[in-house]
Amino acid sequence: MATDSKKSKAKGKTNEEIFNGFQALRGEQRHMANKLSEMELELHEHKIVIDTLKEVDGNRKCFKMVGGVLCERTVKEVLPVLISNRDQLAKFIESLTEQLSKKGQEVNEYKDKYNIKIRGQDEHSSEAEGDKKPRTGNVLVVNPM
């Protein structure tokens, strides 16, 4: 009988491996969300600069930072590059948003597959129904199958 439990352990993952896999998925999801936020901020800055430069004479001097070096250019040289960068950023943000939603689905499927419950989240759903329980910190619980 002891050999049967060892065989099932060899085939399946241990609780620690399940937990580490879940934490890795959530870490990837967090990293993607941070990158998405950073790119949205960058897009917003591009839009502000483009709106400002559209109202300026095209022969006027402007400066552009390239790899830590400040380069002197004219508005008519810089504006098309900024517009192109803005468009590429918008496409990248769209792609990253899709990847983030897929990663969220992957995390949810992993939770369902290994019957993972996060205590803090479970209590929030019951509080919405009217049960008032004292709140505790989030704790990850892995229920072996």
Side-chain angles (χ1 to χ4, degrees):
M1 186 159 309
T3 57
D4 290 339
S5 65
K6 286 181 183 178
K7 287 180 182 177
S8 65
K9 284 279 188 185
K11 289 181 183 178
K13 293 183 176 183
T14 65
N15 285 346
E16 187 175 332
E17 291 171 334
I18 293 170
F19 177 75
N20 289 339
F22 181 70
Q23 289 298 91
L25 284 174
R26 286 186 66 175
E28 291 172 11
Q29 186 182 29
R30 232 178 272 117
H31 177 72
M32 290 172 80
N34 289 339
K35 191 66 173 176
L36 179 62
S37 176
E38 181 182 321
M39 291 294 108
E40 286 175 341
L41 181 63
E42 189 80 20
L43 179 64
H44 180 70
E45 290 175 358
H46 271 71
K47 287 179 180 180
I48 290 172
V49 172
I50 289 169
D51 290 342
T52 304
L53 290 180
K54 279 184 178 179
E55 300 171 5
V56 176
D57 179 35
N59 294 322
R60 187 170 173 183
K61 287 185 200 176
C62 69
F63 295 90
K64 180 180 179 184
M65 184 72 75
V66 178
V69 178
L70 199 57
C71 300
E72 183 179 330
R73 302 274 188 243
T74 62
V75 171
K76 65 182 174 187
E77 293 174 337
V78 171
L79 195 56
V81 175
L82 284 172
I83 291 171
S84 173
N85 287 349
R86 179 197 60 193
D87 295 342
Q88 289 175 355
L89 275 172
K91 289 178 185 176
F92 180 71
I93 287 171
E94 184 179 318
S95 169
L96 196 56
T97 303
E98 290 174 14
Q99 289 176 9
L100 185 60
S101 67
K102 287 178 185 176
K103 185 59 73 172
Q105 290 173 349
E106 187 178 342
V107 167
N108 289 336
E109 289 171 2
Y110 193 89
K111 280 173 57 176
D112 291 342
K113 180 179 178 181
Y114 292 106
N115 196 22
I116 296 173
K117 304 271 190 256
I118 300 175
R119 285 191 183 155
Q121 290 179 350
D122 295 339
E123 291 173 1
H124 290 300
S125 62
S126 65
E127 284 179 13
E129 295 171 1
D131 295 340
K132 297 293 180 186
K133 296 180 183 177
R135 182 164 180 213
T136 59
N138 287 347
V139 177
L140 179 67
V141 178
V142 179
N143 295 328
M145 291 190 214

